[in-house]
Amino acid sequence: MNILLSGVGGQGILTLAELLGDAAILDGYEVRVSEVHGMAQRGGQVVCHVRFGKNVYSPLIIEGASDMLISLEVLESLRAARYLKHEGVVIINSLELPPPLAIIKGIKYPSINDAIKEFMKITKKIYVINSMEIIKRNRLPAATINTIILGSAWATGELGLSRDSLIKAMIRRFGEKWKDINIKAFEEGAKYLSETGVAKV
Amino acid sequence: MNGEEIVLMLGNEAIARGALEAGVRVAAGYPGTPSSEIIEVLAEWAKEHGIYVEWSTNEKVAVEVALAASFCNLRSLAAMKHVGVNVASDTLFTATYTGVRGGFVIISADDPSCHSSQNEQDNRLYGPHMYIPILEPHSPQEAKDITMYSFELSEKFKIPVMVRTTTRLSHSRGNVRLGPIPNIAKEGTFERSPEEMSCLPSNARKMRVKLIEKIKSIEEYFNDSPFNCINGDSKVGIIASGLAYAYTMEALRALKAEEKVSVLKLSTLYPLPKKLLASFLEGKEKVLVVEELEPFIESYVKAICCELGIDSRVEGKNLIPLAGELTPLIVLEGIASFLGEKLVSKSGFKLEVEVPPRPPVLCAGCPHRSTFYAIKSAVRKMKVDAIYPSDIGCYGLGFYQPLEAIDISLCMGASIGIACGLSKFSGKIVIATIGDSTFMHAGIPALINATFNPSNFILVILDNGLVAMTGHQPSPVTGVNAMGEKVKVVLPEDLVKACSISFCKIVDPYYLEATISTIMEAIEHVQKGLGPAVVISRRKCALTLLREARDGKIKIAKNRVDEEKCVGCLACIKLIGCPALLPFNGKVIIDESICTGCGLCGHVCPFKAVMRVET
Ligand SMILES: Cc1ncc(C[n+]2csc(CCOP(=O)(O)OP(=O)(O)O)c2C)c(N)n1
């Protein structure tokens, strides 16, 4: 199983990647997670590769072979698009963070509809998650965005990890204190995806 | 974490864990991506396991501290990024002569593709140059195992041992089986043996002869190393090491060629095991060496073939690129063409929309942004022709639009030496910038030079209270050390004064007008030829400010846009590029979760549309 995570430095991609990795270990897989540390974390693009299975060597996913792409930001989903395989699953958090350089150079920021149109060329399984709306509606802390997205990813039925292990990994990382809030966020993320279904333009 | 548990571990953590399981007593390093987590993790474990850990002022000092511990019969480790080994190399070149007592392992974390570095040098080449044994793991589990093995090796042959890792291994996680941590509360002891530890010419000549012998014995030993292995028995072979091995295995699987190719995985890179290589090469029609960066193994393999009359065709850098990090796709393409297989490209996916770049940027409220802005404003006001040598740190991001405040940047500390030269030969006003940690690391000798060989330039020391770029490690200005102990601070201004520099002023870059006028004074001082002028721009890293405000330790102001006044001209974003400024509904809003109230946006707004709000 290959999962590519993308977003902007500071959004918590690394934590999401670790959660997936921990859950995969709990499910008994061999795991590789490739992270980005250092300079790129300063507001630059960040991608993490998560791979698990029976016999995994490389920490990197080969272009065109990712089973799932999870992007925490609209533009970054497009930058990572080349990794997605045909009929792979793509989950986009509908947050838009235009890079200052795009404004300075006068390059247009692509809209969520642009993104959906692009992905429709290779897959039907496109899910757009409005995590801000979920947070507001359920009065969840802003920091639960990643848990919401994780819930959505799980609800596609194609994540390849058990709900139990995901929840266990989450509790281990965020602590008992945040257990209920995170489970709630996970569930809301899952519910949102089931209710909204695949995105259309 | 004890016993036989399997956990998900970062490559760097696995190296630290290996050291701990091997009974390391002392660890020292200097921060540098991708190596920093090794010392950070050991520092976290220090108290519980009774080990001594330090962030040294630079890599040379780190190697010296760790080597001294080894001289005291303790197992020790030094960790640094690839270019850090350059700084430490003077010591290491002779440490192989003196040899060691307690096992001494140095970790070199290389950075192919320069993810966070100024170059992509291949430190395997230090092997034959320094006569230092080098091993390279391919997975986090092997990183732990090889680190442990290296301590044994170092003690067995009384020689420093280098473990080479790369960004992709250091920063990837994998399953790691934990082993027991030995309970050794060992104190150092020192027995004198001056002939063995003093590299005076009369001793050094003998030491070199001994060193050559050691390396020969290690080569023999490596022929049977459990970390080298051969899979399969075919007339077509691949030799690979490190992550290149991981990509090779994946490529052979993708090509369904596992049975058609035999693979030699090499982990002992210097000295390369000649007998093992010869036995692999014997009878092969053709062999491909898959390795990242230099043709290190390839050249040696070709030499062996020549020497032993083996007529296998050896390929390598003709199919695997010399520059940049390898990826699974690059290796797949290289191996496919080596095997004469055609690849059908799977991703014929072309985007129609333009995807604007998102390079890293200075954080919202970064004091470096304000300082650079002040420097540029002072230069504009005085209408001087200025050039800007800078250094290595977060402030390197000042190179990009819209600040464009860097003309030259090479390696740690170079800004000041370059400024000494430029001030004499360029005919321009020279304004150098350097961070606090970089100044302490390698800037001071050059600043002494500026007095010793009178030079007229401006130096702005960007003092944000720590090493920000590499993840907020303490620097000598911080007041705490790696193990969290409170220590005296070393103040840049005291060092500047001790260099007999008369112009030394301290500013807070959040007070923009005062900062601009101080830099103007410094320019005047230099114009008059009165010697170097130093301005210390002191303000805590914006991320520290946010953290302290969140913890309730300090109060910070925020900036907010007055919707009535904002006309959406985007001048703020275009002039300062702060990531807290976001275009929204034809105007600009400020993301208050990351704003630190530096006020720079208010300063540049032509419509005075930015307000300051106290929190
Ligand atoms: C020889 C060497 N060691 C380490 C590094 C890694 N490194 C890059 S920037 C930096 C220090 C930055 O600290 P400082 O100068 O205080 O600037 P800041 O990032 O805090 O703004 C380090 C250690 C390097 N590039 N070269």
Side-chain angles (χ1 to χ4, degrees):
Chain A
M1 182 76 195
N2 296 325
I3 305 169
L4 194 90
L5 308 174
S6 70
V8 180
Q11 281 194 296
I13 303 266
L14 263 57
T15 314
L16 194 53
E18 274 181 53
L19 280 177
L20 291 169
D22 281 341
I25 290 230
L26 288 172
D27 280 343
Y29 292 114
E30 166 130 30
V31 184
R32 291 287 184 278
V33 175
S34 171
E35 304 184 345
V36 172
H37 295 213
M39 199 153 187
Q41 277 180 292
R42 299 271 173 269
Q45 61 172 110
V46 170
V47 292
C48 281
H49 302 234
V50 180
R51 308 188 65 225
F52 53 91
K54 231 180 121 217
N55 228 332
V56 183
Y57 292 95
S58 160
L60 294 178
I61 299 169
I62 206 159
E63 286 83 340
S66 194
D67 301 292
M68 190 181 282
L69 164 62
I70 302 176
S71 184
L72 297 184
E73 200 267 353
V74 175
L75 173 61
E76 294 313 311
S77 70
L78 287 169
R79 204 188 308 284
R82 68 180 196 283
Y83 282 96
L84 192 67
K85 70 173 190 191
H86 267 271
E87 293 312 324
V89 177
V90 52
I91 296 179
I92 308 172
N93 178 26
S94 62
L95 179 71
E96 299 185 3
L97 293 173
L101 195 64
I103 297 161
I104 293 163
K105 288 186 187 282
I107 308 174
K108 186 178 162 281
Y109 182 94
S111 71
I112 182 76
N113 276 340
D114 292 337
I116 296 169
K117 263 187 235 152
E118 293 286 355
F119 281 107
M120 281 169 84
K121 292 185 209 156
I122 52 164
T123 184
K124 292 181 288 298
K125 300 177 200 159
I126 306 164
Y127 301 93
V128 176
I129 310 298
N130 189 338
S131 61
M132 283 319 279
E133 189 194 308
I134 300 175
I135 279 184
K136 275 194 199 128
R137 193 162 9 103
N138 297 285
R139 298 221 177 80
L140 286 163
T144 57
I145 291 187
N146 291 351
T147 313
I148 291 172
I149 300 292
L150 194 59
S152 306
W154 177 78
T156 61
E158 300 200 35
L159 187 61
L161 294 169
S162 70
R163 183 182 182 280
D164 268 8
S165 298
L166 287 167
I167 301 277
K168 232 186 243 166
M170 238 156 43
I171 297 172
R172 209 192 281 167
R173 192 152 300 272
F174 302 130
E176 279 291 334
K177 191 177 151 205
W178 299 99
K179 180 176 162 183
D180 293 343
I181 287 182
N182 274 298
I183 291 181
K184 168 91 176 144
F186 185 91
E187 244 129 50
E188 289 300 331
K191 200 166 92 192
Y192 185 95
L193 183 125
S194 319
E195 282 169 7
T196 5
V198 294
K200 306 227 162 49
V201 190
Chain B
M1 279 202 302
N2 224 330
E4 282 288 286
E5 212 181 329
I6 293 179
V7 297
L8 184 69
M9 247 193 192
L10 198 64
N12 278 346
E13 261 178 87
I15 290 171
R17 175 76 191 195
L20 193 64
E21 289 181 17
V24 76
R25 297 285 89 204
V26 172
Y30 181 76
T33 315
S35 72
S36 311
E37 297 83 4
I38 301 168
I39 295 293
E40 278 175 338
V41 167
L42 285 167
E44 263 173 46
W45 297 338
K47 278 227 170 65
E48 186 186 345
H49 298 286
I51 47 180
Y52 173 85
V53 182
E54 74 169 45
W55 283 124
S56 311
T57 36
N58 66 33
E59 292 86 353
K60 185 172 187 294
V61 177
V63 162
E64 286 153 2
V65 168
L67 181 64
S70 155
F71 286 163
C72 297
N73 299 302
L74 299 172
R75 287 195 167 182
S76 65
L77 171 139
M80 57 207 62
K81 69 184 291 169
H82 60 333
V83 286
V85 178
N86 299 342
V87 176
S89 62
D90 213 5
T91 306
L92 282 169
F93 268 100
T94 30
T96 49
Y97 277 42
T98 62
V100 306
R101 285 180 177 166
F104 173 50
V105 175
I106 158 163
I107 312 290
S108 166
D110 294 11
D111 190 19
S113 272
C114 311
H115 293 284
S116 292
S117 306
Q118 64 266 34
N119 77 12
E120 59 170 6
Q121 70 187 48
D122 183 340
N123 278 4
R124 297 178 301 171
L125 291 165
Y126 271 126
H129 204 182
M130 285 178 177
Y131 283 53
I132 189 168
I134 300 183
L135 293 101
E136 180 177 33
H138 82 273
S139 68
Q141 177 69 51
E142 208 181 54
K144 189 188 108 178
D145 298 340
I146 278 187
T147 305
M148 297 181 71
Y149 175 80
S150 298
F151 278 102
E152 299 289 334
L153 186 77
S154 169
E155 260 167 36
K156 184 172 169 67
F157 292 96
K158 305 253 164 286
I159 193 168
V161 173
M162 183 183 285
V163 175
R164 184 224 191 200
T165 160
T166 55
T167 304
R168 202 53 75 183
L169 178 60
S170 282
H171 290 165
S172 67
R173 287 174 198 270
N175 309 49
V176 173
R177 185 180 293 277
L178 302 182
I181 297 165
N183 198 354
I184 26 169
K186 197 173 163 190
E187 296 286 321
T189 51
F190 186 82
E191 302 90 37
R192 301 181 58 240
S193 177
E195 287 82 22
E196 286 181 335
M197 291 188 183
S198 310
C199 294
L200 296 166
S202 58
N203 297 330
R205 283 179 213 117
K206 292 180 214 143
M207 289 171 175
R208 173 161 157 87
V209 175
K210 255 172 93 178
L211 177 57
I212 294 169
E213 284 309 313
K214 273 188 200 175
I215 290 291
K216 274 194 197 144
S217 323
I218 295 170
E219 186 198 309
E220 280 299 320
Y221 190 73
F222 278 172
N223 280 315
D224 304 315
S225 163
F227 296 103
N228 300 325
C229 61
I230 297 177
N231 282 318
D233 178 22
S234 147
K235 292 220 167 309
V236 178
I238 291 182
I239 302 174
S241 74
L243 279 184
Y245 168 72
Y247 303 147
T248 296
M249 297 308 279
E250 301 268 0
L252 291 177
R253 181 153 60 190
L255 293 165
K256 301 201 170 43
E258 286 136 310
E259 305 294 316
K260 283 186 252 168
V261 181
S262 68
V263 178
L264 166 58
K265 183 198 80 157
L266 268 187
S267 294
T268 64
L269 298 182
Y270 184 79
L272 280 162
K274 193 175 188 178
K275 272 193 205 135
L276 178 72
L277 281 164
S279 76
F280 181 76
L281 294 164
E282 203 68 62
K284 291 267 182 296
E285 268 162 31
K286 57 176 183 176
V287 170
L288 172 69
V289 182
V290 186
E291 58 188 324
E292 213 159 42
L293 303 179
E294 305 304 322
F296 179 77
I297 300 171
E298 183 186 342
S299 312
Y300 188 71
V301 165
K302 284 179 173 161
I304 299 180
C305 287
C306 207
E307 185 188 328
L308 304 178
I310 299 172
D311 61 359
S312 323
R313 193 170 85 232
V314 178
E315 308 203 42
K317 288 295 154 186
N318 54 326
L319 297 174
I320 305 290
L322 195 53
E325 185 187 23
L326 295 183
T327 66
L329 185 59
I330 292 172
V331 171
L332 177 65
E333 286 168 348
I335 292 179
S337 104
F338 171 68
L339 298 175
E341 307 255 346
K342 269 231 150 2
L343 272 186
V344 256
S345 158
K346 271 195 285 181
S347 52
F349 180 34
K350 279 260 168 314
L351 291 178
E352 266 150 54
V353 290
E354 188 178 0
V355 178
R358 190 190 300 276
V361 288
L362 291 171
C363 300
C366 176
H368 301 332
R369 178 184 289 105
S370 300
T371 309
F372 281 133
Y373 189 83
I375 292 171
K376 289 282 211 103
S377 302
V379 166
R380 235 182 348 257
K381 283 192 179 175
M382 296 196 51
K383 299 193 176 65
V384 288
D385 186 7
I387 46 175
Y388 309 101
S390 188
D391 228 294
I392 312 285
C394 281
Y395 42 91
L397 297 171
F399 173 87
Y400 298 102
Q401 281 179 318
L403 294 167
E404 298 179 297
I406 295 180
D407 286 314
I408 299 174
S409 142
L410 298 166
C411 60
M412 300 271 295
S415 62
I416 307 180
I418 294 275
C420 286
L422 287 176
S423 67
K424 291 179 200 298
F425 314 121
S426 71
K428 297 196 188 327
I429 295 288
V430 179
I431 307 181
T433 41
I434 191 169
D436 52 89
S437 182
T438 304
F439 177 61
M440 306 279 179
H441 173 287
I444 297 164
L447 193 59
I448 297 172
N449 189 65
T451 300
F452 180 36
N453 296 293
S455 312
N456 282 299
F457 62 86
I458 296 134
L459 174 66
V460 182
I461 300 179
L462 307 161
D463 179 357
N464 58 0
L466 41 64
V467 197
M469 177 90 270
T470 48
H472 279 206
Q473 296 83 4
S475 94
V477 305
T478 313
V480 288
N481 63 18
M483 295 197 289
E485 298 163 339
K486 275 215 156 85
V487 290
K488 283 187 191 164
V489 295
V490 180
L491 290 170
E493 53 269 38
D494 292 344
L495 294 167
V496 172
K497 281 172 203 152
C499 293
S500 299
I501 290 173
S502 57
F503 189 109
C504 178
K505 302 208 166 170
I506 301 169
V507 296
D508 176 348
Y510 275 18
Y511 292 88
L512 201 64
E513 296 297 345
T515 304
I516 295 172
S517 62
T518 306
I519 293 166
M520 289 169 70
E521 273 176 58
I523 295 175
E524 269 167 31
H525 180 88
V526 164
Q527 279 176 325
K528 289 184 196 141
L530 297 174
V534 178
V535 176
I536 297 170
S537 182
R538 178 168 292 147
R539 163 61 69 163
K540 278 186 190 167
C541 170
L543 297 178
T544 311
L545 294 177
L546 283 179
R547 186 167 5 92
E548 291 184 352
R550 202 171 46 231
D551 297 346
K553 284 192 200 146
I554 55 165
K555 277 193 181 303
I556 53 174
K558 301 277 171 187
N559 290 111
R560 196 173 289 164
V561 176
D562 183 340
E563 267 181 67
E564 304 285 299
K565 292 189 187 158
C566 177
V567 300
C569 68
L570 304 184
C572 51
I573 298 178
K574 289 179 185 159
L575 290 171
I576 64 173
C578 171
L581 301 167
L582 299 170
F584 185 73
N585 284 346
K587 304 201 177 220
V588 170
I589 51 165
I590 293 177
D591 178 351
E592 287 190 18
S593 70
I594 54 173
C595 173
T596 62
C598 76
L600 193 58
C601 51
H603 182 89
V604 302
C605 175
F607 299 93
K608 301 269 166 280
V610 180
M611 310 174 282
R612 187 182 158 88
V613 249
E614 303 298 332
T615 56

